[in-house]
Amino acid sequence: MKILAVQNRMGIGDTVIFLPFIKAISKKYNSQVSLLVRENSKAAEFLHQTNYINKILILERDKKLSNKHGGFFGTLNLMKELKKQNFDKIFIFNSSLRFNIIAKLSGIAEIYQYPLFSKTDQHIINTPKKFLKDKLNITEIEDPEIHIDDETISKSVEKFNIDRNKINILLGIGGSGPTKRVPSKIFIDFMEKISKIKKCKFYLATGKNSDEQIILNEILQSKFKDTCLPLDDLSIREILPIIKNCNLSICNDSSFSHLSAALGTKTITLMVDTPIIYGNYNSKMFPVIPDGEETVKHHTSGKDRINPQKIFDKALEILN
């Protein structure tokens, strides 16, 4: 059986959040599922070994890169490509009439989709849960799960000289926007506290954005330089086994928080300017919110109010 799932939200985080629903479909039909996702989901970088995923198909609708599937002729292109795949079923995690028409003209016999023209108030978790319950009577949804094989994990230990006698901690210091990036001094304060009682190695995960690089360099210029390994020159595929070898991750609301938790590494999520659901939907996530707040939402602007003592206390709770 050939099954396609369409998840056209942008970014790594949203793709990871939808993995439990893809896995549930796979279990229901005892068949791998192919994904149609945007290029910036980077899905091929982190799902290449995940056993419930078959193919990754890229939806090219970015005018800056490729608009192969945009507009009328793009619709025809996508329809032709899907028709060649001979899918038996399609699950469309959106309310787009365009995708419904494409699925029908591609000759896919069974089409399952969110209610058409109902884009408003679609909850990132509850809407797909209801979708699978209504369509397939699936009621049990597991945590997101990304697979990495043992050989890849072992090779990473050798390549990056990972000492399993130390506490290996991923610090996800990057973030998709300036309001989500906790200042370096808060990470350094935590590093000071944890290093007094445990031998640690810190892996610094961030992108090449200039503001993120400032945070990275501030940490590398601290007294913890020799216990840090920056990961900004590595691909996501190379970073995944490093995360898998970590005892703990501490991440801003970023792609690394989602990837880390989906790999099964317990992850402290520093939630400062995004709805809390993005930092607690996985049982491996342990959110820390700004001092003075009872929850977090857009425009909370709490990056300077994350308490390193709270991070430290939560880290000890997890490690012990």
Side-chain angles (χ1 to χ4, degrees):
M1 182 180 298
K2 299 190 70 175
I3 304 172
L4 176 67
V6 178
Q7 198 299 97
N8 67 322
R9 286 173 175 260
M10 298 178 68
I12 292 172
D14 283 348
T15 302
V16 173
I17 287 172
F18 273 81
L19 289 180
F21 311 111
I22 308 304
K23 184 178 179 181
I25 294 169
S26 175
K27 289 179 68 175
K28 175 76 174 182
Y29 294 105
N30 192 30
S31 176
Q32 289 183 313
V33 177
S34 294
L35 295 184
L36 179 63
V37 291
R38 289 178 180 268
E39 173 64 32
N40 64 11
S41 73
K42 305 292 184 184
E45 279 281 297
F46 63 87
L47 293 175
H48 56 290
Q49 292 185 349
T50 298
N51 63 19
Y52 54 89
I53 301 296
N54 187 10
K55 294 181 179 179
I56 303 293
L57 307 179
I58 301 301
L59 180 64
E60 299 181 41
R61 293 185 66 186
D62 188 332
K63 293 181 180 180
K64 293 181 180 179
L65 299 174
S66 169
N67 200 28
K68 181 181 178 182
H69 299 137
F72 175 75
F73 291 107
T75 297
L76 295 180
N77 288 335
L78 182 57
M79 180 195 71
K80 291 175 183 177
E81 290 172 19
L82 295 186
K83 194 168 186 178
K84 291 178 182 178
Q85 298 290 332
N86 293 314
F87 289 111
D88 302 296
K89 303 177 189 290
I90 186 171
F91 291 84
I92 305 172
F93 288 88
N94 63 53
S95 298
S96 167
L97 177 62
R98 178 176 183 266
F99 278 110
N100 186 278
I101 293 173
I102 288 171
K104 288 178 179 177
L105 295 180
S106 300
I108 302 175
E110 296 184 42
I111 301 171
Y112 301 87
Q113 185 178 14
Y114 286 4
L116 293 175
F117 314 114
S118 301
K119 293 183 179 181
T120 57
D121 299 323
Q122 288 185 348
H123 191 274
I124 189 76
I125 302 292
N126 294 337
T127 300
K129 274 187 177 180
K130 185 178 186 303
F131 174 53
L132 292 192
K133 185 177 186 299
D134 291 347
K135 299 298 184 181
L136 301 180
N137 197 31
I138 294 174
T139 57
E140 293 187 11
I141 302 296
E142 301 174 7
D143 283 339
E145 189 174 6
I146 296 171
H147 299 148
I148 301 291
D149 65 39
D150 291 340
E151 182 181 0
T152 301
I153 295 168
S154 296
K155 285 182 178 179
S156 182
V157 171
E158 296 176 7
K159 181 176 181 179
F160 298 102
N161 195 27
I162 298 174
D163 185 350
R164 286 177 169 166
N165 291 317
K166 293 182 179 180
I167 301 299
N168 294 291
I169 301 177
L170 179 84
L171 297 181
I173 60 177
S176 58
T179 60
K180 295 182 180 182
R181 299 179 195 128
V182 171
S184 61
K185 63 182 180 180
I186 293 174
F187 285 103
I188 292 170
D189 196 338
F190 162 75
M191 295 163 78
E192 178 83 42
K193 294 177 186 297
I194 196 73
S195 296
K196 287 180 180 178
I197 60 172
K198 295 187 182 289
K199 291 184 178 180
C200 300
K201 179 79 173 184
F202 302 101
Y203 299 86
L204 309 181
T206 187
K208 290 294 188 180
N209 175 283
S210 58
D211 290 337
E212 295 181 54
Q213 287 290 305
I214 290 172
I215 295 173
L216 173 65
N217 288 325
E218 287 173 347
I219 294 175
L220 290 178
Q221 289 167 10
S222 73
K223 68 179 185 179
F224 298 105
K225 176 181 180 179
D226 292 338
T227 62
C228 292
L229 178 67
L231 307 179
D232 56 316
D233 286 331
L234 302 181
S235 68
I236 291 173
R237 189 174 296 212
E238 291 173 302
I239 293 173
L240 292 183
I242 295 175
I243 298 175
K244 190 68 176 176
N245 278 299
C246 284
N247 305 92
L248 171 69
S249 294
I250 300 167
C251 302
N252 295 327
D253 174 29
S254 66
S255 57
F256 291 108
S257 66
H258 301 285
L259 293 170
S260 172
L263 285 164
T265 299
K266 292 184 177 180
T267 303
I268 297 174
T269 54
L270 308 181
M271 304 303 296
V272 299
D273 206 47
T274 312
I276 193 68
I277 187 65
Y278 287 90
N280 69 1
Y281 66 88
N282 187 322
S283 66
K284 296 292 192 298
M285 287 177 158
F286 303 86
V288 169
I289 68 174
D291 282 351
E293 303 290 343
E294 294 183 0
T295 188
V296 187
K297 55 187 177 181
H298 291 303
H299 310 302
T300 294
S301 301
K303 68 177 185 179
D304 296 305
R305 291 182 284 127
I306 289 292
N307 190 332
Q309 183 65 44
K310 290 183 178 178
I311 303 174
F312 174 69
D313 291 341
K314 183 61 69 175
L316 286 188
E317 181 184 327
I318 292 170
L319 293 172
N320 294 333

